[in-house]
Amino acid sequence: MSKTVTVLGSTGSIGTQALEVIEMQGYEVKALTASVRVDEIEKQIRKFKPDYAALVDEKAAQELKIRVADTDTKVLSGLQGVCKCASLGADYVLNSIVGMAGLEPTLSAIDAGSEIALANKETLVAGGQLVMKRAKEKGINILPVDSEHSAIFQSMQGCRDKNEIKKLILTASGGPFFGKKRDELANVTVKEALNHPNWSMGAKITIDSATMMNKGLELIEAVWLFSMDPKDIEIVVHRQSVVHSLVEYCDNSVIAQLGVPDMRIPIQYALTYPNRIPSPVSELSLTDYGTLTFDKPDYETFGLINICRKAINDGGLYPACANAANEEANLAFRQGRINFLQIEELVAQAVADAPKVEDYKLDDVLEMYDRARGYVKEKIKG
Ligand code: NAD
Ligand code: MG
């Protein structure tokens, strides 16, 4: 029987690549959701004929309803509509929403018993404890779509005893500013920061790659996905993005997953696990690359990695705070309201001023999100 898949964030970089994989494999689309882009989602509705679609923006959803009135797709709106789409009980819910907005839909999908193919890393950074606990209770898998985490997951297949794993090695491309020092970064433009060397991605994650916040978020994501101690996760800069990440075992044998940088491999593996099937992705030619390089991260210049490391070590809602402050600062940089180095400064200040919270529920995570974004907004206003 064909698999059913719901794609949250279907108009984005991951969402559209997920739909390519889905089309190629002949899976059935149960629901599609996006933020505001009526034209794109209308085309997707006509092609994939989902039962439901949702746009977060109410006005855009009204417009979409009129446009697709001739189809059988029911159109919903708002966060509630997105959560409804997530809770239809599809075999898989692929979450490629950007930002913390993905948290509640992830929880809805878990409650409905769907397997989760998770690209939306902010969900785990902000509410990792809630998500993993609920997934465990429901007996469902959180299957990583993020390329590094997929690589780790793939490198763990065949491992029968988790105690045999000594550490994880996350690779980082280093982004467009690799090799630059702090004083060279003060005046970089948004255009320069958006010019990623290896990957074509949404704007927010591309800026996160330039600041290396992305690797900090991925460190926290790995802690939750693989129940690892942060001290056992190492970060290595690998400019070519061919070795997607590695697992070191207790005998010092290291297993890695390699491939050309193309997100359709991790997307597909999340949907076909534990099986592998042919994909349209090009073969890796190691001799075309010739040289693969590995460097230590420059923590002086890219301080956000260690801010995230401290946040997950300190626990509670510090990671949620770092994530939310970064969402606001990343946006402010893209809108030309702050300079590049201020992103790090603002996240550092928000985390330093955040209260210690030991145990948290969903409402506390949401409250921290608003608090940290508000904090950064106020600081920017001066
Ligand atoms: P994107 O900006 O291209 O797409 C984001 C999608 O989310 C769009 O469909 C948009 O309509 C939707 N969206 C935006 N705001 C929303 C909101 N408030 N509520 C509901 N939906 C909303 O982003 P992307 O690059 O596809 O990244 C998506 C997620 O995947 C991010 O968490 C990112 O970190 C992660 N990721 C992306 C890549 C990549 O190659 N692009 C790789 C690894 C991980
Ligand atoms: Mg990644």
Side-chain angles (χ1 to χ4, degrees):
M1 214 177 68
S2 171
K3 285 178 180 170
T4 58
V5 187
T6 284
V7 182
L8 310 177
S10 65
T11 56
S13 160
I14 293 288
T16 50
Q17 293 180 82
L19 286 174
E20 271 181 51
V21 170
I22 287 167
E23 183 182 11
M24 188 152 284
Q25 303 308 337
Y27 300 155
E28 199 181 305
V29 175
K30 193 107 183 142
L32 295 172
T33 81
S35 172
V36 288
R37 291 161 75 173
V38 180
D39 289 348
E40 278 87 345
I41 202 164
E42 181 188 351
K43 279 189 211 129
Q44 294 177 344
I45 289 170
R46 296 197 180 280
K47 185 162 180 181
F48 293 96
K49 303 183 173 41
D51 296 342
Y52 285 86
L55 286 176
V56 180
D57 186 272
E58 301 283 344
K59 249 177 87 187
Q62 279 309 320
E63 161 89 23
L64 180 66
K65 208 177 224 171
I66 296 165
R67 293 238 209 133
V68 299
D70 60 314
T71 71
D72 292 331
T73 302
K74 293 176 206 61
V75 176
L76 306 172
S77 64
L79 172 64
Q80 223 184 353
V82 175
C83 288
K84 166 80 183 167
C85 286
S87 66
L88 298 171
D91 296 328
Y92 293 83
V93 172
L94 188 140
N95 186 347
S96 53
I97 291 173
V98 59
M100 239 281 287
L103 179 60
E104 286 165 90
T106 299
L107 294 172
S108 300
I110 295 172
D111 287 344
S114 299
E115 296 279 274
I116 312 293
L118 191 65
N120 176 230
K121 63 191 83 186
E122 296 91 347
T123 284
L124 283 179
V125 173
Q129 195 184 54
L130 303 176
V131 172
M132 297 314 287
K133 187 164 164 258
R134 225 185 270 194
K136 200 169 169 198
E137 283 164 6
K138 273 277 173 186
I140 60 122
N141 290 308
I142 307 284
L143 299 148
V145 169
D146 210 348
S147 58
E148 297 77 2
H149 304 75
S150 175
I152 290 168
F153 184 57
Q154 293 182 54
S155 301
M156 281 180 175
Q157 299 308 312
C159 168
R160 278 167 298 169
D161 180 356
K162 197 183 160 273
N163 292 320
E164 293 173 0
I165 294 171
K166 196 157 99 181
K167 72 176 185 206
L168 308 181
I169 304 167
L170 280 177
T171 53
S173 72
F177 303 137
F178 172 75
K180 289 208 186 308
K181 292 291 167 202
R182 264 191 110 70
D183 56 347
E184 297 172 88
L185 292 181
N187 298 318
V188 294
T189 64
V190 176
K191 197 170 163 219
E192 286 166 329
L194 284 173
N195 186 23
H196 196 280
N198 304 335
W199 300 96
S200 160
M201 310 179 285
K204 192 250 175 191
I205 184 177
T206 307
I207 299 301
D208 284 345
S209 300
T211 60
M212 294 200 75
M213 179 67 179
N214 187 47
K215 220 40 62 176
L217 297 175
E218 290 184 351
L219 166 75
I220 300 171
E221 185 185 8
V223 166
W224 290 114
L225 278 174
F226 306 114
S227 314
M228 291 296 288
D229 190 320
K231 78 170 171 31
D232 297 327
I233 304 176
E234 186 184 324
I235 294 166
V236 170
V237 175
H238 166 49
R239 294 294 285 156
Q240 297 78 22
S241 300
V242 165
V243 179
H244 295 301
S245 279
L246 316 87
V247 178
E248 184 174 304
Y249 288 86
C250 55
D251 57 356
N252 291 339
S253 175
V254 180
I255 300 188
Q257 184 257 341
L258 285 72
V260 296
D262 189 319
M263 289 305 296
R264 289 173 302 178
I265 291 182
I267 291 167
Q268 178 170 299
Y269 190 68
L271 298 175
T272 63
Y273 164 82
N275 301 312
R276 289 186 188 274
I277 52 178
S279 89
V281 175
S282 321
E283 278 181 16
L284 170 65
S285 165
L286 284 171
T287 50
D288 280 356
Y289 280 91
T291 309
L292 298 180
T293 59
F294 301 93
D295 293 276
K296 286 196 178 123
D298 174 356
Y299 291 111
E300 295 278 300
T301 307
F302 301 98
L304 281 163
I305 305 176
N306 279 338
I307 292 171
C308 287
R309 196 179 275 281
K310 181 166 179 344
I312 186 69
N313 278 326
D314 291 346
L317 288 176
Y318 288 117
C321 173
N323 174 66
N326 177 63
E327 284 191 29
E328 188 62 39
N330 177 313
L331 180 67
F333 172 70
R334 278 182 278 146
Q335 293 175 338
R337 289 187 281 128
I338 58 171
N339 74 39
F340 187 77
L341 291 176
Q342 279 177 289
I343 302 175
E344 182 183 320
E345 284 162 22
L346 288 162
V347 175
Q349 286 170 12
V351 177
D353 284 353
K356 186 157 181 66
V357 180
E358 289 295 341
D359 224 18
Y360 59 86
K361 297 196 183 60
L362 177 61
D363 282 349
D364 304 312
V365 179
L366 300 176
E367 204 185 300
M368 175 55 89
Y369 182 74
D370 290 341
R371 183 197 147 98
R373 287 199 75 147
Y375 177 98
V376 170
K377 259 192 209 133
E378 284 304 312
K379 285 269 172 197
I380 293 172
K381 264 200 235 151

